[in-house]
Amino acid sequence: MISNRKRIINISIIVLLGVMSLIIGLKLKVFSYTFDSIIPRSGYQVHTWMTFTGNGDDLLVKTYLPISGKRQTVSNERISSPDLEFRRSVTSLHSFGEWTRYKAEGPFRIDLYYDIRIKPIVYNIDPELTIERNIDPSLESYLLGTDVIQINDPFIKNLAAELAGDDIYILSVLRKFYDYVYAMGSRPFKGTTDAVTAAKLGEASCNGKSRLFISLTRQLGIPSRLVGGLILNNGSKKTSHQWIEVYISGHWIPFDTLNGHFAELPGNYLSLYKGDEALFRHSRNIAFDYRFNIKKVNVSNDRLTSYLGERAFNIYNIFSAIFNINISFRVLQFLLVIPLGVLVVTVFRNVVGLNTFGTFLPALMAMSIQNLGLLPGLFIFSFVILLTVLIRIPLDKLGLLHTPKLAIMMIVVIFSLLAISVLSNLLFMEVIPSLNSALLFPVAILTITSERFALTLSEEGLKKTSMIMFQTLIVMTFCYFVISSIAIKSLMISFPEILLAVIAMNLWLGSWTGIRIVELFRFRNLYFEKFK
């Protein structure tokens, strides 16, 4: 009987692996699937938060919002602005958000989240290209002077003439202007620095240097404009950035006279607006504050969904009807990777020999902390478990029935998650911006886990319970890395038949009779004795 079961399991495993290999082979050979559009790309998660206090007057806050273009792709945008009216306006140059409130009083907060992927760009300017004299009328606004770009000021006129001389080649002239401005000292000035002031001081911040460069180019009839945005690096900051674009032969070509980029931009320059604008505008006397929290991550290839849409025999098209009822592409990815997280739990329990609270708890909790991040997620999970266990002690002494006691513990879990979210918003947002997502934890699972923790503590003691808790956190960590992997999500959405291999693996693990790794270590003296 046992041998027949084993034979059936082995045949089932072979069939499952064979079907999976056949389907993947058909996709690669017949339906032209490739891995180029599946491989994730480097990108950034950006969180911009703004806080302010209404003083009883009408309230207005405006800022520019990121938009997708040839160089950058924006995804997963989410805006949270309770008690404020929000309106988005889009022009050919930029998009901006406007938040208003009539007779506003008290504190307000705006949170803007989005993922961004940016391509580095490099232009090769023809050295024989001369300065154009017949400018398209639509570009005339990019040749005008302003109060801070003083192209008609004698100082700017003389400087432009001195630097350019009789040169008529645009590349050569731009190089002379660029080298002069770039060689100036760099100093962070608050407020607005105009072109003349920057030139006379011989030092300026990004906006002063950019305005000086624009004033020189416009003086010679070369269209140019300011670009505002962010330089994306890991961490938290309040500094935005400005650079220049020059119109040459039908292209707006970038220059950064502060950081040394000539006709190029790296892959971490996020463009938010065009023109000499302020990133934020708001009502007076509202104690306005803001900050950018930036995290470099791997993001889905921006070609993935269009790539799958062009391929036959894929789950993306099969589930297209689901997307029409607001089941997102992201949810579909999570559904496909959860079995892999559960497989990780199975391997650790059956092969490694670790004990965990709950069979699938580590995988479910790992999925719940995706927005939090690993370390904040582990911290909140451990904190809530310990807090509810402490609450359970006096409840046990009261002799309450099991179900009412669980109901009280669930309320404690809810209030503790609320408290963590509120405190993180008030105190720790600049350091740990993800803690305000603590409410995403599944309350029921946390409550039941707390109950199991307390029971184990009373029956097995502190040492055994602490060890199980530690092992649960280890398995949860491995599940997190599997479930949060963009590469694995992209692979599963393209080749969901891999789940057949997961079933085969579980069949094999279900019939596992070998010694577990923990037991091998525990009884290592006896195990190796027989080989002497």
Side-chain angles (χ1 to χ4, degrees):
M1 180 66 71
I2 295 177
S3 61
N4 288 337
R5 291 178 180 175
K6 190 71 173 179
R7 188 180 302 112
I8 293 173
I9 291 174
N10 290 337
I11 292 174
S12 299
I13 291 173
I14 293 172
V15 170
L16 289 169
L17 294 177
V19 172
M20 181 199 70
S21 301
L22 177 62
I23 296 174
I24 292 178
L26 285 172
K27 285 185 172 182
L28 293 175
K29 296 295 184 180
V30 178
F31 297 104
S32 303
Y33 278 64
T34 65
F35 291 98
D36 178 60
S37 296
I38 298 173
I39 298 172
R41 300 290 189 258
S42 177
Y44 298 88
Q45 291 177 342
V46 182
H47 171 206
T48 304
W49 60 260
M50 295 161 270
T51 58
F52 41 91
T53 303
N55 51 25
D57 296 329
D58 293 349
L59 182 69
L60 171 65
V61 172
K62 297 172 66 174
T63 191
Y64 290 93
L65 305 175
I67 56 176
S68 297
K70 294 181 179 179
R71 200 178 66 87
Q72 62 188 40
T73 303
V74 182
S75 61
N76 299 324
E77 183 187 85
R78 181 167 60 90
I79 298 175
S80 174
S81 52
D83 303 320
L84 293 169
E85 295 292 330
F86 171 70
R87 183 168 64 94
R88 183 193 299 268
S89 299
V90 181
T91 70
S92 59
L93 295 180
H94 45 241
S95 168
F96 68 87
E98 180 178 288
W99 291 264
T100 57
R101 177 68 184 267
Y102 178 70
K103 301 298 183 183
E105 292 185 356
F108 295 92
R109 182 185 179 97
I110 299 171
D111 290 279
L112 170 62
Y113 304 87
Y114 53 88
D115 297 338
I116 187 79
R117 179 173 170 253
I118 307 173
K119 300 175 183 177
I121 191 167
V122 178
Y123 287 91
N124 294 314
I125 303 173
D126 184 353
E128 300 300 320
L129 195 63
T130 59
I131 298 175
E132 296 182 32
R133 297 305 176 189
N134 297 319
I135 302 298
D136 189 314
S138 64
L139 300 173
E140 288 182 357
S141 61
Y142 300 113
L143 292 172
L144 301 177
T146 68
D147 292 340
V148 290
I149 301 176
Q150 307 99 318
I151 65 172
N152 294 318
D153 187 278
F155 189 91
I156 297 296
K157 285 184 176 181
N158 293 333
L159 181 59
E162 179 184 343
L163 292 173
D166 297 327
D167 202 336
I168 62 171
Y169 298 102
I170 192 168
L171 176 59
S172 177
V173 169
L174 290 176
R175 173 57 74 178
K176 292 173 183 178
F177 290 167
Y178 175 89
D179 289 343
Y180 174 82
V181 179
Y182 179 64
M184 291 170 49
S186 299
R187 184 176 176 183
F189 288 95
K190 290 185 177 180
T192 300
T193 305
D194 63 78
V196 173
T197 301
K200 290 182 176 180
L201 288 177
E203 60 181 9
S205 61
C206 61
N207 66 70
K209 284 193 168 191
S210 297
R211 291 190 183 99
L212 176 55
F213 186 84
I214 288 175
S215 70
L216 294 172
T217 55
R218 289 184 181 181
Q219 170 58 219
L220 291 193
I222 304 172
S224 56
R225 66 188 181 189
L226 271 167
V227 181
L230 299 174
I231 298 179
L232 303 179
N233 294 309
N234 274 330
S236 179
K237 67 177 184 179
K238 296 185 69 171
T239 308
S240 58
H241 189 55
Q242 287 181 319
W243 59 96
I244 312 105
E245 287 181 344
V246 178
Y247 192 81
I248 304 173
S249 296
H251 299 280
W252 285 104
I253 299 180
F255 297 83
D256 184 355
T257 53
L258 182 72
N259 296 323
H261 301 298
F262 185 90
E264 65 177 10
L265 281 183
N268 65 336
Y269 272 53
L270 168 62
S271 173
L272 292 174
Y273 61 88
K274 314 289 186 182
D276 200 348
E277 308 286 348
L279 180 55
F280 297 101
R281 295 181 181 180
H282 55 81
S283 303
R284 293 178 178 271
N285 303 320
I286 61 171
F288 182 82
D289 194 16
Y290 68 93
R291 187 164 289 275
F292 309 105
N293 294 299
I294 302 164
K295 182 180 180 182
K296 188 174 184 179
V297 295
N298 285 330
V299 296
S300 295
N301 193 321
D302 53 7
R303 294 173 52 199
L304 180 59
T305 53
S306 60
Y307 163 82
L308 289 176
E310 296 169 357
R311 298 292 184 277
F313 200 45
N314 70 77
I315 199 169
Y316 177 77
N317 286 339
I318 294 173
F319 277 77
S320 58
I322 294 181
F323 300 144
N324 293 330
I325 56 173
N326 296 323
I327 301 298
S328 69
F329 181 69
R330 185 180 181 187
V331 170
L332 178 58
Q333 285 183 311
F334 270 122
L335 289 175
L336 293 173
V337 297
I338 286 176
L340 295 179
V342 173
L343 178 63
V344 171
V345 178
T346 305
V347 171
F348 272 99
R349 288 176 64 93
N350 288 27
V351 179
V352 179
L354 298 187
N355 291 321
T356 62
F357 289 112
T359 306
F360 300 132
L361 170 75
L364 295 175
M365 294 308 302
M367 183 182 66
S368 301
I369 66 174
Q370 296 300 300
N371 290 334
L372 282 163
L374 179 61
L375 294 180
L378 294 178
F379 165 75
I380 294 177
F381 174 73
S382 304
F383 173 79
V384 173
I385 295 296
L386 293 175
L387 178 63
T388 48
V389 168
L390 292 177
I391 296 297
R392 186 182 186 275
I393 294 174
L395 296 179
D396 284 341
K397 293 182 179 179
L398 293 175
L400 298 179
L401 296 176
H402 180 71
T403 303
K405 183 166 58 180
L406 276 182
I408 295 173
M409 291 173 64
M410 178 177 289
I411 295 173
V412 172
V413 170
I414 292 172
F415 274 106
S416 63
L417 293 178
L418 282 170
I420 290 172
S421 295
V422 172
L423 288 175
S424 68
N425 275 307
L426 295 176
L427 302 176
F428 308 115
M429 179 54 63
E430 295 185 15
V431 181
I432 313 177
S434 58
L435 283 181
N436 69 333
S437 300
L439 291 176
L440 297 177
F441 269 73
V443 175
I445 296 177
L446 275 177
T447 306
I448 295 172
T449 304
S450 301
E451 174 71 4
R452 291 183 178 178
F453 185 96
L455 288 174
T456 307
L457 184 63
S458 62
E459 296 174 359
E460 304 290 344
L462 179 61
K463 182 178 180 181
K464 179 69 176 293
T465 307
S466 300
M467 184 59 65
I468 297 176
M469 182 66 173
F470 177 68
Q471 293 174 12
T472 300
L473 294 178
I474 291 176
V475 179
M476 186 172 161
T477 299
F478 277 88
C479 290
Y480 173 86
F481 285 119
V482 170
I483 292 175
S484 63
S485 170
I486 298 295
I488 292 178
K489 289 177 183 176
S490 300
L491 185 65
M492 293 302 297
I493 200 74
S494 301
F495 300 98
E497 50 275 5
I498 292 175
L499 291 179
L500 296 176
V502 176
I503 296 174
M505 188 70 177
N506 279 294
L507 286 173
W508 179 69
L509 291 172
S511 59
W512 173 267
T513 56
I515 189 170
R516 296 174 179 175
I517 295 175
V518 171
E519 294 170 345
L520 181 64
F521 177 79
R522 181 182 177 187
F523 301 108
R524 59 189 180 280
N525 293 331
L526 293 175
Y527 185 77
F528 290 106
E529 182 68 27
K530 63 181 180 181
F531 294 104
K532 293 183 179 179

